Amino acid sequence: MDIRLREIEERGFTTIDSYLDPHSIDLLIADITALDLTSGRAGIRNLLELLPSVNKLAHSQEIRSLVEPILGDTTRVVRGIFFDKQPNANWKVPWHQDLSIAVKQHLDLPDYHPRSIKEGIPHVQPPTAILERMLTVRIHLDRTDEWNGALKVIPGSHRHGKLTTPQINEWKQLNRAISCNCQAGGIFLMRPLLLHSSSIAILPSHRRIVHLEYADRQLDNGLEWYY
Ligand SMILES: O=C(O)CCC(=O)C(=O)O
């Protein structure tokens, strides 16, 4: 089995250094900066709609060639978020799994629960089987490490479905977290069920990430992905 596939299966993540060249990174940064939405904000949720350049990249063969070996060629991008950790938005997130997906509309389906609205976009928690077949592609526009609040993950935690709070606490106590240090232009692939967190930056500067989520299937009973 390909080493990348094995890492995703066993550890829940893999890192690919230097994937995007400096020119492509500069163009993405210029586009995102031109939106002028991020000052003081942790990020932007509907990135695929707001930015044609990110939309194009998300659909590109360059990115699909990373996702298709894992999810198959029916895979499609279903959400794009931009995260920035910066001096005036130096945030942290506790240990969690990504359990919510963005959908076009809320439907009263017992398997897609609870429901919420994030920045005006309907979200639901789908069944575990959907989350297990998703993949997140995190494109680093800046170098990330412990100093600027890189993502931390607990390897293997994605293999146990949705975890309860006591289970998350046990994973934290019994396992070593890894800091996902990455070069600018590097890509981090992760399963959404992988336990992750991030601390505030010790030396805050920009820590910009384009976060793209891919899924390999339709939702049930007429429920539709937001994007
Ligand atoms: O980028 C980060 O540091 C955290 C992102 C996060 O919490 C998430 O993707 O759910």
Side-chain angles (χ1 to χ4, degrees), residues 42 45 79 81 83-85 91-94 96-99 136 138 148-152 190 192 196-199 207 209 211 213:
R45 279 199 175 268
R79 180 160 70 161
I81 309 177
F83 289 117
D84 191 9
K85 205 176 276 189
W91 42 275
K92 62 178 177 180
V93 278
H96 68 283
Q97 300 171 295
D98 285 342
L99 300 179
T136 300
R138 286 171 58 98
N148 65 355
L151 195 75
K152 294 180 281 185
M190 68 179 268
H196 55 286
S197 73
S198 72
S199 308
R207 196 224 60 173
I209 310 273
H211 168 121
E213 293 172 4

Side-chain angles (χ1 to χ4, degrees), residues 46-207:
N46 48 347
L47 197 59
L48 293 170
E49 291 165 290
L50 286 174
L51 270 191
S53 53
V54 172
N55 193 311
K56 193 169 161 207
L57 181 65
H59 289 91
S60 70
Q61 206 40 49
E62 209 175 358
I63 299 296
R64 289 191 65 87
S65 68
L66 300 175
V67 181
E68 283 183 7
I70 297 155
L71 295 187
D73 57 13
T74 59
T75 187
R76 48 185 288 234
V77 64
V78 292
R79 180 160 70 161
I81 309 177
F82 173 70
F83 289 117
D84 191 9
K85 205 176 276 189
Q86 46 175 311
N88 55 359
N90 190 4
W91 42 275
K92 62 178 177 180
V93 278
W95 287 100
H96 68 283
Q97 300 171 295
D98 285 342
L99 300 179
S100 293
I101 57 170
V103 291
K104 274 205 171 53
Q105 74 288 70
H106 280 151
L107 296 182
D108 192 9
L109 301 173
D111 288 346
Y112 288 81
H113 207 80
R115 301 186 293 236
S116 58
I117 303 270
K118 298 183 189 194
E119 291 183 24
I121 301 173
H123 283 72
V124 293
Q125 288 193 12
T128 305
I130 301 272
L131 297 168
E132 283 173 341
R133 294 292 309 155
M134 290 179 69
L135 188 74
T136 300
V137 175
R138 286 171 58 98
I139 303 168
H140 292 69
L141 306 185
D142 300 290
R143 180 189 52 76
T144 61
D145 57 24
E146 291 89 340
W147 294 98
N148 65 355
L151 195 75
K152 294 180 281 185
V153 299
I154 302 184
S157 51
H158 65 298
R159 297 172 67 133
H160 304 272
K162 295 179 186 173
L163 299 172
T164 60
T165 304
Q167 286 171 328
I168 293 176
N169 289 336
E170 196 175 322
W171 271 96
K172 276 159 49 182
Q173 278 158 15
L174 300 182
N175 296 276
R176 198 170 66 85
I178 292 187
S179 176
C180 306
N181 299 355
C182 215
Q183 297 299 319
I187 289 190
F188 184 71
L189 300 180
M190 68 179 268
R191 291 292 197 187
L193 287 175
L194 185 71
L195 273 176
H196 55 286
S197 73
S198 72
S199 308
I200 58 167
I202 302 165
L203 288 181
S205 57
H206 279 295
R207 196 224 60 173

